[in-house]
Every structure is written in C-alpha cells, then in structure tokens.
Amino acid sequence: LSFRAMPPSILSHVFLWSLSFARSQPRQIYVNADYSTAGFRAEAQVARDMAAFLSIKGPNVTPQTLKGLVGASLLQHKQIYGSCIAFEPDSYPLTDGVPDPEHPGLSAGVASAAGIEANGSSFWTSMDEPWKLPRRQLWPRGPRALLYAPYAHRGRGWKEGLPFAPPMDLADAYNYMEPHVEWYHVPRSKFIAGELDFAEGHWSKPYYDAGAGNILLITHSVPFWRKNPIETPPGASRPHVLDEEGGSRRFWGVATIDIDIDHVDFACDIDQFWDRAALKCTHCGPNAYAIDGTC
C-alpha cells in the first residue's frame, strides 16, 4: 500500500468524488483528496490497444476474441485488476437491434446469468440465435435493449498463484447505461462531442464496483467505434463522428482497465495521512507529521 504525501505539481487528477454503490440504495461518500494516475500509463495503454483493435476489427470480432482480450489484459500488468469491453445497447451481437444470421454465437464467449430462462436452461448453451436474448429496461420508462459487456477480473482477495475469477458479462451485475455510471457515460459523451481523439481515454473517480469487481477501484475507459451501417441524416441524434476520410464512424462502446485503489497514490498535507477505512486525509495530531503515509 502506497499512500504518501505528494506535491500538487505531480498530480494528474484532483477530485471531490462520490462513491455510488450499485444494485442497492446509493450511498454517497464525498472525499476531498488528490490522486495521481501518472504511474498507470502502461496500464492505460492496454485499454487503448483494445479500443484500437476493436475499431479496426469492427463487427467481425468474435465472442471468443472478446473473452480473450479482457483475459489477456490481466496478464500484461499486475496492477490491472479487471478489464471490460462494454457495447452500446443492441449493437453486439446484434447490429442496431437487427439480427445477423451469420454472426457467431455467444456460447464460446463469457457466460451470462442474463441468459438463464425461468426453467433453468441457458441461452448460452446453444447461442445460435442471439436476437432471442432477453432485453432489459435501460432506464425508468425507457426502451428495452440487449446489453453485452465481457468482463474479466482477478477477484476480491486475489493473491499471486491463485486463479482469476471466472469471466462474466458485466451487464449481469448492473445496468451500465444508468446515468450515474461514469466509466461509461463520461467517455461516451466526450467522444461524441469530439473532446477525445482516437484511442484517448478517461480516468473515472474512485467508486465501489458492486456486483462485478466488488472492490474500490478507478477505471480507465477508451471509446472504440465502428463504421456506421446506415447513412446518418443531418441533425440526427445518432452518436457518430467523421473519420479522416470523411466517412461516418459511430460510437460503439468502451474498452476499460480497472486499478484497485490500494495501488493509487493519494495526496495529503504534511501533517496528515491517508485513512483508507475513512476514505479521507486524517490529521496525525499535534506536532506530528506523516512519513511514507504514516504518522
């Protein structure tokens, strides 16, 4: 654990942040703390590489490849706790909600509890017809659509030599289309607004990833795109950008890596230390100073 006093000059991010606990009554925790992501450039590059690959590969990417990508991300750097590829609603394995009979089935991809029918049988055992998968409501009184987000992670309490947790569909854990899910919506909005160039990403505020990673972490999300299958009329709300050849490119999702906040450097004043239990900088006491994160 490396929490130590750091001068503001080396900080890359300053946040007054809140933690939202998914799948339960949201609990907001506000912490005035500085933290740096400067030490995670190599880990962030993993997400950028995945996004670049997916943008080039397009809809031809198979469920097996998606599963392999998120799993391989964990092997590249020990600091990476988890990795996800989250798609826009009804965009994989469908295309704009339209079934593609030639699309490979999901049975060789990550398992999904959302594919369990009432009688206990699984759509994933013979996934030749992905358009029959159940839709979920994206937000109150909103549309219903299929979400798909292959996710791999080490597992809470993982130690060297132990196997990783089984890969899963993060959409089974929670609805990442809900507005409070920063790791998806902020990079999505920035990309559509032209604020992120190709293979640029966004670092989230710290949050508790309930139902998936199940720890406090930060996430680096990098948007990826695909060629728009239909012409985008002027003034349409369809999320798209123009590529260097003037063609229409549509936002397709985000590729992510997660970092356990135990590996994150938080900055406190010289007379304070980072109290992980309280999630804040705490004073050492009269005439006491913090050295290497302890008083």
Side-chain angles (χ1 to χ4, degrees):
L1 182 63
S2 178
F3 295 126
R4 60 180 183 273
M6 299 168 59
S9 60
I10 67 172
L11 294 172
S12 61
H13 288 76
V14 179
F15 287 114
L16 178 65
W17 53 269
S18 65
L19 303 177
S20 296
F21 289 79
R23 305 191 72 188
S24 62
Q25 184 65 29
R27 172 189 173 200
Q28 301 295 323
I29 303 175
Y30 297 93
V31 179
N32 189 8
D34 301 337
Y35 80 92
S36 173
T37 57
F40 301 123
R41 292 189 180 97
E43 289 81 0
Q45 185 63 46
V46 174
R48 291 194 290 270
D49 290 344
M50 282 196 297
F53 172 82
L54 292 165
S55 297
I56 295 169
K57 188 71 173 177
N60 293 324
V61 65
T62 66
Q64 298 97 315
T65 299
L66 295 173
K67 180 180 179 180
L69 283 172
V70 293
S73 297
L74 308 186
L75 301 175
Q76 296 188 52
H77 296 281
K78 291 182 180 179
Q79 301 276 46
I80 295 179
Y81 174 80
S83 178
C84 181
I85 297 172
F87 290 94
E88 281 281 271
D90 276 351
S91 70
Y92 193 95
L94 312 180
T95 300
D96 290 335
V98 178
D100 180 359
E102 297 183 0
H103 194 284
L106 297 177
S107 57
V110 301
S112 173
I116 303 297
E117 296 184 277
N119 63 6
S121 62
S122 172
F123 290 103
W124 256 247
T125 56
S126 57
M127 255 311 304
D128 297 323
E129 299 177 318
W131 50 90
K132 290 185 178 180
L133 284 169
R135 271 39 170 200
R136 68 185 304 165
Q137 193 165 15
L138 301 182
W139 50 82
R141 295 183 297 278
R144 300 183 70 85
L146 173 65
L147 295 179
Y148 187 61
Y151 178 63
H153 67 296
R154 296 179 185 275
R156 188 172 185 175
W158 180 86
K159 292 181 174 58
E160 191 76 32
L162 294 178
F164 297 150
M168 60 179 285
D169 183 357
L170 184 139
D172 295 334
Y174 56 86
N175 177 9
Y176 57 84
M177 287 300 296
E178 291 182 350
H180 72 273
V181 182
E182 180 197 357
W183 63 261
Y184 192 84
H185 283 287
V186 172
R188 181 184 191 276
S189 298
K190 286 183 175 180
F191 180 83
I192 294 170
E195 298 174 11
L196 288 179
D197 291 332
F198 180 68
E200 283 190 342
H202 167 80
W203 282 103
S204 76
K205 306 176 186 70
Y207 67 102
Y208 185 82
D209 194 31
N214 293 314
I215 63 167
L216 288 161
L217 45 78
I218 58 174
T219 296
H220 187 63
S221 305
V222 183
F224 56 90
W225 61 19
R226 62 178 170 85
K227 188 173 292 185
N228 203 343
I230 61 175
E231 183 178 356
T232 302
S237 60
R238 182 176 299 279
H240 76 287
V241 296
L242 296 179
D243 63 16
E244 66 281 358
E245 299 175 350
S248 181
R249 299 280 179 169
R250 183 179 180 182
F251 173 83
W252 195 18
V254 296
T256 77
I257 56 99
D258 298 331
I259 305 293
D260 187 331
I261 67 164
D262 278 356
H263 300 304
V264 179
D265 286 324
F266 287 85
C268 300
D269 292 337
I270 190 75
D271 61 344
Q272 297 177 334
F273 70 99
W274 178 256
D275 187 339
R276 190 185 189 285
L279 296 175
K280 66 178 182 179
C281 293
T282 301
H283 285 278
C284 293
N287 302 318
Y289 299 93
I291 301 175
D292 292 331
T294 58
C295 294

PDB file of all heavy atoms in Angstrom, residues 240-253:
ATOM      1  N   HIS A 240     -22.180   9.697 -33.631  1.00  0.00           N
ATOM      2  CA  HIS A 240     -21.213   9.385 -34.666  1.00  0.00           C
ATOM      3  C   HIS A 240     -20.203  10.521 -34.790  1.00  0.00           C
ATOM      4  O   HIS A 240     -20.427  11.642 -34.339  1.00  0.00           O
ATOM      5  CB  HIS A 240     -21.903   9.163 -36.010  1.00  0.00           C
ATOM      6  CG  HIS A 240     -22.362  10.437 -36.677  1.00  0.00           C
ATOM      7  ND1 HIS A 240     -23.449  11.143 -36.218  1.00  0.00           N
ATOM      8  CD2 HIS A 240     -21.860  11.123 -37.729  1.00  0.00           C
ATOM      9  CE1 HIS A 240     -23.610  12.224 -36.973  1.00  0.00           C
ATOM     10  NE2 HIS A 240     -22.664  12.231 -37.896  1.00  0.00           N
ATOM     11  N   VAL A 241     -19.082  10.214 -35.388  1.00  0.00           N
ATOM     12  CA  VAL A 241     -18.071  11.214 -35.730  1.00  0.00           C
ATOM     13  C   VAL A 241     -17.616  10.915 -37.147  1.00  0.00           C
ATOM     14  O   VAL A 241     -17.937   9.876 -37.722  1.00  0.00           O
ATOM     15  CB  VAL A 241     -16.851  11.152 -34.772  1.00  0.00           C
ATOM     16  CG1 VAL A 241     -17.247  11.503 -33.359  1.00  0.00           C
ATOM     17  CG2 VAL A 241     -16.211   9.772 -34.816  1.00  0.00           C
ATOM     18  N   LEU A 242     -16.877  11.837 -37.740  1.00  0.00           N
ATOM     19  CA  LEU A 242     -16.339  11.633 -39.070  1.00  0.00           C
ATOM     20  C   LEU A 242     -14.882  11.231 -38.967  1.00  0.00           C
ATOM     21  O   LEU A 242     -14.127  11.803 -38.181  1.00  0.00           O
ATOM     22  CB  LEU A 242     -16.478  12.907 -39.912  1.00  0.00           C
ATOM     23  CG  LEU A 242     -17.913  13.367 -40.199  1.00  0.00           C
ATOM     24  CD1 LEU A 242     -17.890  14.651 -41.027  1.00  0.00           C
ATOM     25  CD2 LEU A 242     -18.703  12.288 -40.924  1.00  0.00           C
ATOM     26  N   ASP A 243     -14.480  10.224 -39.750  1.00  0.00           N
ATOM     27  CA  ASP A 243     -13.085   9.819 -39.717  1.00  0.00           C
ATOM     28  C   ASP A 243     -12.276  10.658 -40.697  1.00  0.00           C
ATOM     29  O   ASP A 243     -12.785  11.596 -41.323  1.00  0.00           O
ATOM     30  CB  ASP A 243     -12.949   8.323 -40.019  1.00  0.00           C
ATOM     31  CG  ASP A 243     -13.434   7.950 -41.417  1.00  0.00           C
ATOM     32  OD1 ASP A 243     -13.589   8.843 -42.266  1.00  0.00           O
ATOM     33  OD2 ASP A 243     -13.651   6.748 -41.653  1.00  0.00           O
ATOM     34  N   GLU A 244     -10.982  10.315 -40.811  1.00  0.00           N
ATOM     35  CA  GLU A 244     -10.092  11.134 -41.624  1.00  0.00           C
ATOM     36  C   GLU A 244     -10.451  11.088 -43.111  1.00  0.00           C
ATOM     37  O   GLU A 244     -10.055  11.962 -43.882  1.00  0.00           O
ATOM     38  CB  GLU A 244      -8.640  10.672 -41.427  1.00  0.00           C
ATOM     39  CG  GLU A 244      -8.325   9.262 -41.946  1.00  0.00           C
ATOM     40  CD  GLU A 244      -8.779   8.162 -41.002  1.00  0.00           C
ATOM     41  OE1 GLU A 244      -9.309   8.509 -39.922  1.00  0.00           O
ATOM     42  OE2 GLU A 244      -8.614   6.978 -41.338  1.00  0.00           O
ATOM     43  N   GLU A 245     -11.234  10.112 -43.525  1.00  0.00           N
ATOM     44  CA  GLU A 245     -11.642  10.008 -44.921  1.00  0.00           C
ATOM     45  C   GLU A 245     -13.034  10.597 -45.156  1.00  0.00           C
ATOM     46  O   GLU A 245     -13.575  10.502 -46.258  1.00  0.00           O
ATOM     47  CB  GLU A 245     -11.633   8.542 -45.350  1.00  0.00           C
ATOM     48  CG  GLU A 245     -10.246   7.884 -45.252  1.00  0.00           C
ATOM     49  CD  GLU A 245     -10.294   6.400 -45.563  1.00  0.00           C
ATOM     50  OE1 GLU A 245     -11.416   5.865 -45.660  1.00  0.00           O
ATOM     51  OE2 GLU A 245      -9.220   5.801 -45.711  1.00  0.00           O
ATOM     52  N   GLY A 246     -13.590  11.203 -44.118  1.00  0.00           N
ATOM     53  CA  GLY A 246     -14.913  11.798 -44.257  1.00  0.00           C
ATOM     54  C   GLY A 246     -16.049  10.818 -44.082  1.00  0.00           C
ATOM     55  O   GLY A 246     -17.212  11.178 -44.253  1.00  0.00           O
ATOM     56  N   GLY A 247     -15.739   9.562 -43.763  1.00  0.00           N
ATOM     57  CA  GLY A 247     -16.776   8.571 -43.545  1.00  0.00           C
ATOM     58  C   GLY A 247     -17.365   8.676 -42.153  1.00  0.00           C
ATOM     59  O   GLY A 247     -16.754   9.239 -41.242  1.00  0.00           O
ATOM     60  N   SER A 248     -18.557   8.156 -41.987  1.00  0.00           N
ATOM     61  CA  SER A 248     -19.237   8.242 -40.699  1.00  0.00           C
ATOM     62  C   SER A 248     -18.800   7.088 -39.801  1.00  0.00           C
ATOM     63  O   SER A 248     -18.882   5.922 -40.183  1.00  0.00           O
ATOM     64  CB  SER A 248     -20.753   8.200 -40.913  1.00  0.00           C
ATOM     65  OG  SER A 248     -21.429   8.300 -39.677  1.00  0.00           O
ATOM     66  N   ARG A 249     -18.337   7.423 -38.611  1.00  0.00           N
ATOM     67  CA  ARG A 249     -17.935   6.434 -37.622  1.00  0.00           C
ATOM     68  C   ARG A 249     -18.820   6.586 -36.394  1.00  0.00           C
ATOM     69  O   ARG A 249     -18.993   7.686 -35.873  1.00  0.00           O
ATOM     70  CB  ARG A 249     -16.473   6.620 -37.221  1.00  0.00           C
ATOM     71  CG  ARG A 249     -15.498   6.456 -38.375  1.00  0.00           C
ATOM     72  CD  ARG A 249     -15.239   4.995 -38.655  1.00  0.00           C
ATOM     73  NE  ARG A 249     -14.329   4.797 -39.781  1.00  0.00           N
ATOM     74  CZ  ARG A 249     -13.775   3.644 -40.105  1.00  0.00           C
ATOM     75  NH1 ARG A 249     -14.037   2.578 -39.394  1.00  0.00           N
ATOM     76  NH2 ARG A 249     -12.978   3.544 -41.141  1.00  0.00           N
ATOM     77  N   ARG A 250     -19.338   5.481 -35.925  1.00  0.00           N
ATOM     78  CA  ARG A 250     -20.290   5.518 -34.821  1.00  0.00           C
ATOM     79  C   ARG A 250     -19.649   5.020 -33.538  1.00  0.00           C
ATOM     80  O   ARG A 250     -18.931   4.017 -33.550  1.00  0.00           O
ATOM     81  CB  ARG A 250     -21.494   4.658 -35.171  1.00  0.00           C
ATOM     82  CG  ARG A 250     -22.582   4.682 -34.101  1.00  0.00           C
ATOM     83  CD  ARG A 250     -23.755   3.829 -34.509  1.00  0.00           C
ATOM     84  NE  ARG A 250     -24.799   3.860 -33.486  1.00  0.00           N
ATOM     85  CZ  ARG A 250     -25.928   3.179 -33.568  1.00  0.00           C
ATOM     86  NH1 ARG A 250     -26.169   2.422 -34.622  1.00  0.00           N
ATOM     87  NH2 ARG A 250     -26.828   3.251 -32.604  1.00  0.00           N
ATOM     88  N   PHE A 251     -19.934   5.713 -32.431  1.00  0.00           N
ATOM     89  CA  PHE A 251     -19.506   5.234 -31.119  1.00  0.00           C
ATOM     90  C   PHE A 251     -20.097   3.858 -30.891  1.00  0.00           C
ATOM     91  O   PHE A 251     -21.291   3.629 -31.062  1.00  0.00           O
ATOM     92  CB  PHE A 251     -19.974   6.200 -30.023  1.00  0.00           C
ATOM     93  CG  PHE A 251     -19.707   5.692 -28.630  1.00  0.00           C
ATOM     94  CD1 PHE A 251     -18.471   5.866 -28.044  1.00  0.00           C
ATOM     95  CD2 PHE A 251     -20.701   5.041 -27.914  1.00  0.00           C
ATOM     96  CE1 PHE A 251     -18.222   5.384 -26.761  1.00  0.00           C
ATOM     97  CE2 PHE A 251     -20.467   4.566 -26.634  1.00  0.00           C
ATOM     98  CZ  PHE A 251     -19.221   4.739 -26.065  1.00  0.00           C
ATOM     99  N   TRP A 252     -19.239   2.910 -30.465  1.00  0.00           N
ATOM    100  CA  TRP A 252     -19.678   1.519 -30.347  1.00  0.00           C
ATOM    101  C   TRP A 252     -19.568   1.007 -28.915  1.00  0.00           C
ATOM    102  O   TRP A 252     -20.221   0.036 -28.540  1.00  0.00           O
ATOM    103  CB  TRP A 252     -18.854   0.651 -31.296  1.00  0.00           C
ATOM    104  CG  TRP A 252     -19.410  -0.705 -31.551  1.00  0.00           C
ATOM    105  CD1 TRP A 252     -20.680  -1.144 -31.326  1.00  0.00           C
ATOM    106  CD2 TRP A 252     -18.699  -1.821 -32.101  1.00  0.00           C
ATOM    107  NE1 TRP A 252     -20.815  -2.465 -31.703  1.00  0.00           N
ATOM    108  CE2 TRP A 252     -19.606  -2.905 -32.190  1.00  0.00           C
ATOM    109  CE3 TRP A 252     -17.389  -2.004 -32.537  1.00  0.00           C
ATOM    110  CZ2 TRP A 252     -19.236  -4.145 -32.675  1.00  0.00           C
ATOM    111  CZ3 TRP A 252     -17.023  -3.244 -33.036  1.00  0.00           C
ATOM    112  CH2 TRP A 252     -17.945  -4.302 -33.103  1.00  0.00           C
ATOM    113  N   GLY A 253     -18.716   1.622 -28.096  1.00  0.00           N
ATOM    114  CA  GLY A 253     -18.556   1.176 -26.724  1.00  0.00           C
ATOM    115  C   GLY A 253     -17.241   1.649 -26.146  1.00  0.00           C
ATOM    116  O   GLY A 253     -16.570   2.525 -26.705  1.00  0.00           O
TER     117      GLY A 253
END
